[in-house]
Amino acid sequence: MGLFMVGLGGILGALARYGISIILNDRGLVPWGTLAVNMLGCFMLALFLTLILYKYSSQSYLVLAVSTGFIGSLTTFSTLSIEGVTLFRSSALLAFIYMGLTLAGGYLFVGAGYTAGQYIAATAGFKKWAGLTAEGADK
């Protein structure tokens, strides 16, 4: 069942990445679609795991479908690498800026996702959902 959930999430993530790339990648020299999906994926994974692991195991079907499946296929290191090399052939400076922006942006977006997750986790509604309050633990 875990393999099926990863596959299902993977199909949806790959379709999302393809759609975003079609919209954004033909807008100049920089592959904006790849940059966008990688930054979005960094934020989403940090936010999702920060929140979901309060209630579910890292091996639950939901976690596997969303993190490994959807976000794993939404983001792409191999395409980033190929596009970086291709960009390097036309402009080494632009390639270094793009790769540096991707790395620094990834860390910033992970930090933002984690911070947003911590903020949400501190709310009463989340604590009740996660079973962290006496009222939520009665379920």
Side-chain angles (χ1 to χ4, degrees), residues 35-98:
L35 182 65
V37 296
N38 284 332
M39 297 306 103
L40 178 63
C42 286
F43 180 84
M44 288 173 54
L45 186 62
L47 175 66
F48 177 73
L49 291 177
T50 298
L51 295 174
I52 204 72
L53 293 179
Y54 277 102
K55 187 164 183 163
Y56 295 100
S57 154
S58 63
Q59 294 302 305
S60 73
Y61 296 139
L62 176 63
V63 173
L64 290 172
V66 174
S67 64
T68 305
F70 182 80
I71 298 172
S73 68
L74 174 70
T75 59
T76 173
F77 184 77
S78 57
T79 301
L80 167 72
S81 300
I82 293 294
E83 290 172 346
V85 168
T86 302
L87 196 55
F88 185 82
R89 290 181 179 151
S90 62
S91 171
L93 178 60
L94 189 56
F96 282 119
I97 291 170
Y98 173 67

Side-chain angles (χ1 to χ4, degrees), residues 20 24-25 27-37 98 101:
I20 292 169
L24 297 179
N25 269 358
R27 299 185 184 264
L29 295 174
V30 175
W32 295 110
T34 304
L35 182 65
V37 296
Y98 173 67
L101 181 62

